[in-house]
């Protein structure tokens, strides 16, 4: 029987395009997934750096608050007015310079009614130091800075009446009324020669020591605050050196910028930061808006070419696949050309055509076999790359991303090996059997399947009229192994899968049935499953080259028969085919049964 040949080879060309596009899609998917994972990790690093910087601000302010409350506790523990020398001893015990970097000092501001101002100044005179309150204002109370340590750097602030300026006064009275720690809005410290933004940090204390329960009591018993002056740039410098951070930030209090690291003159400034985010902090009665941005150090540390390596490795595999398909297309085109030249002679020269087909199949086999060498080379390169990376970065298994990428390359190499192995097996399906093949028993084939597929004997039921197969036993074994193997491989519950093998002795042939209780195959796919490289595999199911059932049909057709699929898409699938009963003679079996 002569089959027509498509002179243009359009069907084969379409198959080539589908294979290339599917493989390219998988390569791009792996690259995009890898890139997405890298982007997520870089974003997580930014979040860590941002949270670390913001957390340091919050944590350090909390530590400063603890120091101020300890000053309040010291005042409450006294049995009379606080003396200058007592405050000096207390502040020295705090060791401010080492334990509280960034703070300018710690001091006391007293609340003084105008009527009590003379008595207040008399107490100051007993301390043996020059003390003046400034500047003048018209309020009926005063809030002079009575003590501040260390005095050497805060001398200009001693005696300053903070009631004269609204930000200083508002923050202090808010601390009085709430009984909590409060900070002022942005101010300039009189002791700061640089005239840079700063603020004051207050904690209140009251006559009688204990915290009053009501607002009226707090206002009536208010005695003053323990406070600390801050220059914002010194506060941030005391948190963490910019050289040790991979992010820069600015701080705004309301509309006023009180700290800024985003200047173009800043070292490591990034004109196009990879990440930016603003964080609002509820900071002791004020709202600070922190604008965090990455710098050039972050960009340098988080540049990654690992996704590029994945793409490069995938493209190498694509080139190999395309090369294989080009070789197959060329061989197929040669077959078409040859068939076209011999069309008129095929009626009498079918033997020559069989010989030509054998040469083509041998060529495909050799081409597939030769492709194993470059594929193995890629696997070797992956191993060599891993060894080279170990010399640079140490054990690669500690770098999960790199190991994932190397394993992806090895997985693609394994798939390429499976593909070439399947093509080789498909090309070597014998013509009408081999007289040298030994007889095989059906029971032996079933026993081998039980062992190979790791199932129990009870999962395969055999009902056969004969036991021995003498005709093309090698391909008969291959057909049964493919059909039984697929039944277990794609069964939703492999451990419970059942397969029924029935061999019926007909007059001129054997009828073989392989039936399973799996999910079944929808009728629209009954022909598709026998095409090369076609598979109905769903996500999560085992990988398949799509060649196994093509080998089955080819082996059956070599003997002049076909294979039938019986399935509605549920309730299992049955494959039925015929096979010669006896070893072949000179006349092909297909002609005997024609």
């Amino acid at each position: 029987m002569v089959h027509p040949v498509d002179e243009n080879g359009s069907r084969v060309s379409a198959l080539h395009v589908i294979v290339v596009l599917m493989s390219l899609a998988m390569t791009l998917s792996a690259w995009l997934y890898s890139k997405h994972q890298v982007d997520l990790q870089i974003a997580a690093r930014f979040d860590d750096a941002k949270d670390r910087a913001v957390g340091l601000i919050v944590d350090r302010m909390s530590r400063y608050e603890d120091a101020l409350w300890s000053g309040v506790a010291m005042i409450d523990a006294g049995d009379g007015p606080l003396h200058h020398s007592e405050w000096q001893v207390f502040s020295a015990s705090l060791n401010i310079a080492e334990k509280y970097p960034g703070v300018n000092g710690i001091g006391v501001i007293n609340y003084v009614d105008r009527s009590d101002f003379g008595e207040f100044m008399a107490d100051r005179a007993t301390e043996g130091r020059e003390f003046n309150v400034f500047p003048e204002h018209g309020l009926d109370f005063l809030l002079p800075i009575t003590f501040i340590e260390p005095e050497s750097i805060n001398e200009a602030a001693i005696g300053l009446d903070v009631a004269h300026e609204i930000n200083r006064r508002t923050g202090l009275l808010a601390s009085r009324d709430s009984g909590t720690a409060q900070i002022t809005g942005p101010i300039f410290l009189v002791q700061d020669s640089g005239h840079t933004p700063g603020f004051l940090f207050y904690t209140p204390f009251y006559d009688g020591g204990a915290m009053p329960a009501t607002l009226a009591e707090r206002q009536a018993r208010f005695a003053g605050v323990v406070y600390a002056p801050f220059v914002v740039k010194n506060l941030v410098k005391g948190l963490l050196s910019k050289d040790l951070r991979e992010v820069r930030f600015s701080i705004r209090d309301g509309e006023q910028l009180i700290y800024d690291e985003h200047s173009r003159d800043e070292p490591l400034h990034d004109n196009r930061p990879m990440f930016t985010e603003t964080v609002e902090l509820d900071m002791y009665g004020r709202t600070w808006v922190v604008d965090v941005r990455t710098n050039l150090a972050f960009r340098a540390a988080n540049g990654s070419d690992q996704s590029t390596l994945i793409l490069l490795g995938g493209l190498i595999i694509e080139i190999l696949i395309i090369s294989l398909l080009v070789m197959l297309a060329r061989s197929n085109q040669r077959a078409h050309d040859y068939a076209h030249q011999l069309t008129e002679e095929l009626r009498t020269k079918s033997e020559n055509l069989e010989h030509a087909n054998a040469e083509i199949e041998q060529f495909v086999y050799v081409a597939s076999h030769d492709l194993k060498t470059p594929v193995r080379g890629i696997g070797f390169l992956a191993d060599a790359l891993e060894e080279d990376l170990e010399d640079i970065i140490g054990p690669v298994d500690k770098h999960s991303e790199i190991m994932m990428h190397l394993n992806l390359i090895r997985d693609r190499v394994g798939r390429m090996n499976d593909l070439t192995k399947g093509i080789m097996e498909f090309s070597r399906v014998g013509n009408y059997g081999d007289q040298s093949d030994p007889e095989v028993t059906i029971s032996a084939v079933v026993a081998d399947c039980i062992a190979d597929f790791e199932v129990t004997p009870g999962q395969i039921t055999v009902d056969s009229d004969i036991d021995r197969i003498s005709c093309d036993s090698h391909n008969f074994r291959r057909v049964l192994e493919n059909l039984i193997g697929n039944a277990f491989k794609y069964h939703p519950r492999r451990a419970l899968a059942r397969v029924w093998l029935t061999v019926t002795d007909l007059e001129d042939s054997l009828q073989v049935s392989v039936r399973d209780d799996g999910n079944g195959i929808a009728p629209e796919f009954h022909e598709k499953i026998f095409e090369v490289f076609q598979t109905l595999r769903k996500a999560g199911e085992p990988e398949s080259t799509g060649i196994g059932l093509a080998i089955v049909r080819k082996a059956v057709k070599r003997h002049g028969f076909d294979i039938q699929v019986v399935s509605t898409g549920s309730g299992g699938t049955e494959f039925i085919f015929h096979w010669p009963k006896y070893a072949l003679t000179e006349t092909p079996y297909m002609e005997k049964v024609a």
Side-chain angles (χ1 to χ4, degrees):
M1 179 177 180
V2 179
H3 297 279
V5 178
D6 183 357
E7 294 182 358
N8 297 322
S10 58
R11 186 178 62 167
V12 175
S13 298
L15 178 62
H16 289 181
V17 172
I18 292 173
V19 171
V20 171
L21 290 179
M22 290 180 61
S23 182
L24 182 60
M26 295 185 67
T27 296
L28 293 177
S29 298
W31 170 63
L32 290 174
Y33 176 78
S34 173
K35 187 176 183 300
H36 176 65
Q37 292 300 311
V38 170
D39 290 343
L40 289 178
Q41 292 170 359
I42 294 175
R45 294 184 191 121
F46 167 71
D47 289 337
D48 289 342
K50 173 203 66 180
D51 293 343
R52 189 183 309 115
V54 173
L56 282 171
I57 296 174
V58 174
D59 179 69
R60 187 57 56 86
M61 290 297 290
S62 176
R63 290 181 57 193
Y64 295 152
E65 180 190 5
D66 292 341
L68 295 178
W69 282 118
S70 69
V72 171
M74 190 275 286
I75 294 173
D76 290 344
D79 55 1
L82 180 66
H83 193 272
H84 180 217
S85 60
E86 294 175 322
W87 189 252
Q88 287 179 317
V89 172
F90 168 74
S91 61
S93 69
L94 292 179
N95 196 7
I96 293 174
E98 293 185 9
K99 293 184 178 180
Y100 302 96
V103 67
N104 271 43
I106 186 168
V108 176
I109 298 175
N110 287 106
Y111 175 82
V112 182
D113 192 271
R114 287 270 181 194
S115 61
D116 299 326
F117 183 66
E119 181 182 350
F120 173 78
M121 292 302 293
D123 289 339
R124 303 285 76 74
T126 63
E127 295 172 345
R129 60 181 180 136
E130 184 177 350
F131 184 86
N132 295 304
V133 177
F134 66 94
E136 292 290 339
H137 59 79
L139 298 176
D140 57 1
F141 63 90
L142 298 88
L143 297 170
I145 298 175
T146 308
F147 310 123
I148 180 70
E149 295 293 337
E151 286 190 357
S152 58
I153 61 174
N154 293 286
E155 185 176 1
I158 298 175
L160 175 68
D161 187 350
V162 301
H164 83 283
E165 192 268 323
I166 187 169
N167 277 356
R168 290 174 170 86
R169 182 176 70 249
T170 301
L172 189 147
L173 296 181
S175 179
R176 174 199 68 182
D177 293 347
S178 65
T180 62
Q182 297 282 310
I183 65 172
T184 68
I187 62 171
F188 297 108
L189 302 182
V190 296
Q191 63 267 46
D192 178 23
S193 59
H195 206 62
T196 55
F199 62 92
L200 302 182
F201 198 173
Y202 301 126
T203 54
F205 60 90
Y206 303 87
D207 290 334
M211 175 72 67
T214 66
L215 173 61
E217 288 180 321
R218 287 193 287 273
Q219 291 177 343
R221 291 171 48 194
F222 182 61
V225 296
V226 175
Y227 92 105
F230 290 88
V231 175
V232 179
K233 69 175 183 179
N234 293 337
L235 169 66
V236 175
K237 182 178 180 181
L239 294 176
L240 181 62
S241 170
K242 288 191 291 186
D243 295 337
L244 301 179
R245 288 188 271 118
E246 294 182 343
V247 294
R248 296 287 185 263
F249 59 86
S250 65
I251 303 175
R252 287 186 177 274
D253 186 327
E255 296 298 321
Q256 185 168 348
L257 183 66
I258 61 176
Y259 182 74
D260 186 20
E261 294 179 348
H262 298 325
S263 169
R264 292 181 180 273
D265 297 331
E266 280 280 339
L268 300 178
H269 173 74
D270 192 346
N271 291 326
R272 296 179 298 103
M274 296 176 67
F275 295 93
T276 64
E277 187 171 338
T278 57
V279 180
E280 289 191 359
L281 297 179
D282 185 7
M283 191 60 68
Y284 299 99
R286 305 292 299 181
T287 299
W288 283 3
V289 178
V290 184
D291 180 6
V292 185
R293 305 176 189 177
T294 57
N295 60 12
L296 293 177
F298 184 91
R299 183 180 292 276
N302 292 282
S304 176
D305 58 357
Q306 294 171 359
S307 57
T308 304
L309 290 175
I310 289 292
L311 181 60
L312 180 60
L315 291 177
I316 292 174
I317 299 295
E318 295 304 317
I319 292 172
L320 291 173
I321 293 176
I322 292 173
S323 299
L324 171 64
L325 293 178
V326 167
M327 294 176 68
L328 292 175
R330 288 177 177 175
S331 65
N332 190 47
Q333 187 60 47
R334 281 196 290 269
H336 288 172
D337 295 341
Y338 190 61
H340 179 70
Q341 295 171 8
L342 297 180
T343 299
E344 295 301 323
E345 304 175 13
L346 283 178
R347 293 185 180 92
T348 58
K349 297 183 178 180
S350 60
E351 185 177 327
N352 291 338
L353 178 60
E354 291 294 332
H355 178 70
N357 286 336
E359 288 182 344
I360 294 171
E361 290 175 353
Q362 182 64 21
F363 175 83
V364 173
Y365 176 81
V366 173
S368 301
H369 182 273
D370 289 345
L371 278 175
K372 287 187 173 182
T373 299
V375 171
R376 283 196 297 268
I378 294 173
F380 172 77
L381 288 176
D383 295 337
L385 179 60
E386 181 175 353
E387 292 178 1
D388 291 343
L389 287 174
E390 287 182 346
D391 294 337
I392 298 173
I393 63 175
V396 178
D397 55 6
K398 294 184 179 179
H399 299 266
S400 58
E401 295 175 7
I402 296 177
M403 284 302 300
M404 178 186 68
H405 300 152
L406 291 173
N407 288 335
L408 279 174
I409 294 176
R410 294 182 177 116
D411 179 66
R412 301 299 286 274
V413 169
R415 291 182 54 219
M416 188 65 181
N417 278 325
D418 290 341
L419 185 61
T420 55
K421 180 180 178 181
I423 294 173
M424 291 168 61
E425 185 176 4
F426 181 77
S427 68
R428 288 176 64 88
V429 175
N431 294 332
Y432 313 122
D434 188 342
Q435 295 290 343
S436 64
D437 285 348
E439 286 187 340
V440 64
T441 63
I442 293 177
S443 58
V445 174
V446 172
D448 290 344
C449 289
I450 291 172
D452 292 343
F453 306 134
E454 298 179 349
V455 297
T456 63
Q459 290 182 260
I460 301 179
T461 301
V462 180
D463 181 11
S464 177
D465 293 343
I466 66 170
D467 185 42
R468 296 185 178 276
I469 300 294
S470 58
C471 178
D472 196 6
S473 59
H474 175 76
N475 281 319
F476 182 83
R477 173 188 287 272
R478 183 182 300 174
V479 169
L480 285 189
E481 288 176 346
N482 270 295
L483 294 177
I484 295 174
N486 281 355
F488 289 110
K489 184 176 183 181
Y490 298 108
H491 197 283
R493 295 184 297 173
R494 181 187 177 103
L496 301 179
R498 293 291 308 277
V499 174
W500 291 267
L501 171 61
T502 304
V503 181
T504 304
D505 187 359
L506 303 180
E507 182 180 354
D508 296 316
S509 64
L510 300 174
Q511 179 178 289
V512 183
S513 164
V514 178
R515 180 170 58 89
D516 63 58
D517 61 352
N519 287 335
I521 302 173
E524 60 266 30
F525 298 119
H526 285 185
E527 283 300 317
K528 180 180 178 181
I529 59 176
F530 292 107
E531 295 178 8
V532 180
F533 303 124
Q534 296 297 322
T535 176
L536 304 183
R537 188 184 75 88
K538 300 178 181 178
E541 292 183 349
E543 290 284 348
S544 173
T545 60
I547 297 178
L549 289 179
I551 291 174
V552 169
R553 170 171 274 186
K554 184 176 181 182
V556 173
K557 279 183 170 291
R558 287 294 187 183
H559 298 288
F561 302 116
D562 204 347
I563 185 166
Q564 177 186 3
V565 183
V566 179
S567 179
T568 62
S570 63
T573 302
E574 182 178 17
F575 291 90
I576 303 172
F577 63 93
H578 288 75
W579 198 262
K581 291 176 62 175
Y582 307 108
L584 299 178
T585 58
E586 297 138 11
T587 306
Y589 195 84
M590 65 176 67
E591 295 180 12
K592 286 186 175 183
V593 298

